[in-house]
Amino acid sequence: MRFALSAEQQDFAAAIDAYLSTADCDAAARSWAEDDLGPGMKLWHGLTDLGLLDLLDAGGSLVDLVVAVERLGYHAVPGPWVDTAAVLPALSIESGGRLASVVAPPHVPYGLDADVADVRLMLTPDGTYDFAAGERLSSVDRVRRLFEPERGNRVGDAVALAFEHGALATAAQLLGAGQWLLDTSVTYAKQRKQYGREIGGYQAIKHLLADAVTALELARPLLHAAALTAAPRDVSAAKVAAGQAAALAAKTGLQVHGAIGYTAEHGLGLRLTKVRALAAAWGTPAFHRGRVLA
Amino acid sequence: MDLDLPESTLAFRAEVREWLAENVVKLPSFDTAEGFTRHREWEAKLADARLSVVSWPVEFGGRDVSLLDWLIFEEEYYAAAAPGRVNQNGLFMLAPTLFSHGTPEQQARILPKMARSEEVWAQAWSEPEAGSDIAALRSTATPTSGGWLLSGQKTWSSRAAFADKAFGLFRSDPGSERHRGLTYFMIDLRAEGVQVRPINQLDGEPGFAELFFDEVFVPDEDVIGTPGEGWRVAMTTANNERGLSLRSPGRFLATADRLVRLWSESRDPALADRVADAWIGARAYQLYTFGTATRLAEGASLGPESSVNKLFWSQLDVSMHETALDLLGPAAEVDDTWPDGWLFSLAGPIYGGTDQIQRNIVAERLLGLPRGDR
Ligand SMILES: Cc1cc2nc3c(=O)[nH]c(=O)nc-3n(C[C@H](O)[C@H](O)[C@H](O)COP(=O)(O)OP(=O)(O)OC[C@H]3O[C@@H](n4cnc5c(N)ncnc54)[C@H](O)[C@@H]3O)c2cc1C
């Protein structure tokens, strides 16, 4: 038993970070929300070069994938990469640089970026179907461009593992967003002064941040274990814990930032709304808790 | 990264499981005179099977097993509902302190008796005016020929009502302040000048005691580490109390599993979420600990992460027990296990450094936030 990331996995995460910190991901996300997909697609090409979008096809493990996806969540990279990098391989479909949009009603009722996706698939208990992008819906997270799916032809059998991959990668994305919210808030608390001292010196602020880091630290091992087993109970535990920890980090982050965090210019809102949207995507907390007790 | 247990661990687990299945008995509370005696007998039996201190060196009664094997032992122990460890403050706080700071003579003299609970140890840290702020302690140690004379008062000392020995800090340099000038002593609670006054806890039993010291003689050989350097020694004890040795995941996993079984009798939908969260929390703590064990095996040492541990398990334990009582409904009042566990869980956020103190440590030492007023 060795329950820790390997040096290669840590290096891979660092390489993704290095690439994404030089790109302006937040700006790309905002453009994406305005239907200007150019800057976001540039990021996608960069990530493809790093081998991220076909990681599983290229022999990577699910642990490698969640490590990578956590970084994408951290940097708020826009687009349907959970569908593309995590779900497609479970269906044994190679992405080959294409974008995928996957729905799995009722847990994933809307297709992310379905209007521009090259592959659109609907997972149901009695088979896999393709679908067409219907009405455009607006998400609480404006970066998530959602479409009502219109079911088409049956294209394959049902694949239960595909749902586990989607839920697992969503948990990883949540954890990454939560970690960004915590890190950014800690940095801010060390700089922002009120009453003549850094707000991070006040216990009321410290204790909020201590609780948030505790929740995130304890959610991460659940994610890694779920990536090792891909068992429904483990995946559900990870999804619930990552969602809760990220939600706590989001609320805490907003409180620590005060009004600046409530502005559209600040990156906080990008993650806060994403965390809310993802809490219910690929299975609500109640659904996943039910699987834990099943 | 993997979660596969080595063959040797699987074999050890099977042995432990089998022994426990044949030997576990239900004992009265160790906070009663009779229960305390019965627990000593249980500990001696464990020691005979060489299962009382599995991670210790063989020469002191252990088996020198890895941290992972110890964690697995703990899982089996609590899953089998084996009795609580009456000597836990000795086994999980004083012993690691002696391994790091004790002399070979002290280790040889003290550890084998501890392993059999021939000597049961109490922690004498808190004082009436020094709780969270332990560096404010006032009890004194004055040098005398061949040793020291201890005077002062300690309080809230768990199991001291029936224990044999105690360990704690005294101010040995009268001019010193705060963390300086403290010395770490081991004290015989039967020595002349010691008075033990039991204190009943919420369950009505004398779970802790006040200790009064009036010029109690302690020989030099019972000082741990260098006189005046007691604080540094004490931090080893504290990290063990908060970290995983005193509260390994086994007991929380066992509680969570019991809770899930209790829930499945009624399947009360109103409580399903809380039951699921309890199981998820216990599993998270187990996995987090596997991560810690891996890091320690690779040479890392425990730092402020111990406080993350403590914050997590103390709250998990309370919420699991509250959920169980809510599930039981009116029957909870007369149930013979969950209410005891609940009362005990309520102390978790207080002892071992309160949860507020742990949050300060996490914020300042892990996140690097500025030090605040104290
Ligand atoms: C069941 C049980 C067993 C125990 N066993 C032992 C034992 O074996 N040996 C032993 O020595 N002691 C033992 N203790 C005592 C325990 O270590 C102390 O209770 C603990 O350190 C807190 O001290 P206090 O009770 O004096 O509370 P105080 O320090 O007076 O604290 C009261 C409240 O103020 C808060 N507070 C204090 N300082 C700060 C601060 N700087 N910032 C924010 N909040 C603060 C605390 O969090 C707490 O909520 C035990 C306690 C319990 C409940």
Side-chain angles (χ1 to χ4, degrees), chain A residues 203 207, chain B residues 89 123-126 131-132 155-158 201 208 347 350-354 356-357 360 374:
Chain A
Q203 279 193 341
H207 291 195
Chain B
N89 288 1
Q123 179 195 21
W125 280 33
S126 304
S132 298
T155 190
W156 317 136
S157 187
S158 295
Q201 294 181 342
F208 36 48
I350 300 173
Y351 66 76
T354 70
Q356 282 70 41
I357 299 301
N360 289 344
R374 283 289 184 276

Side-chain angles (χ1 to χ4, degrees), chain A residues 1-4 186 190 197 200 203 206-207 211 213-214 217-218 221-222 224-225 228 233-234 244 289 292-293, chain B residues 1-4 272-273 277 279 284 287-288 291 294 298 312 356 359-360 362-364 367-368 370-372:
Chain A
M1 195 218 53
R2 185 181 180 280
F3 196 60
V186 168
K190 290 178 190 171
R197 64 165 309 169
Q203 279 193 341
K206 280 185 185 161
H207 291 195
D211 284 343
V213 70
T214 301
E217 286 297 304
L218 272 295
L222 287 168
H224 292 160
L228 283 172
R233 196 181 201 196
D234 287 342
Q244 271 181 328
R289 287 183 172 114
V292 164
L293 293 178
Chain B
M1 159 166 272
D2 69 83
L3 282 167
D4 308 329
D273 284 3
D277 284 348
W279 188 86
L287 293 164
Y288 182 74
T294 302
E298 292 177 359
F312 191 80
Q356 282 70 41
R359 288 187 178 95
N360 289 344
V362 170
E364 292 172 12
L367 301 179
R371 220 186 125 79

Side-chain angles (χ1 to χ4, degrees), chain A residues 80-96:
Chain A
W81 36 263
V82 164
D83 315 44
T84 306
V87 184
L88 266 200
L91 295 163
S92 307
I93 301 173
E94 285 201 20
S95 129

Side-chain angles (χ1 to χ4, degrees), chain A residues 186-229:
Chain A
V186 168
T187 305
Y188 188 70
K190 290 178 190 171
Q191 292 161 355
R192 175 71 171 171
K193 286 190 176 166
Q194 289 297 323
Y195 302 99
R197 64 165 309 169
E198 301 84 358
I199 57 170
Y202 297 118
Q203 279 193 341
I205 296 287
K206 280 185 185 161
H207 291 195
L208 287 176
L209 292 168
D211 284 343
V213 70
T214 301
L216 291 166
E217 286 297 304
L218 272 295
R220 188 167 292 108
L222 287 168
L223 179 70
H224 292 160
L228 283 172
T229 66

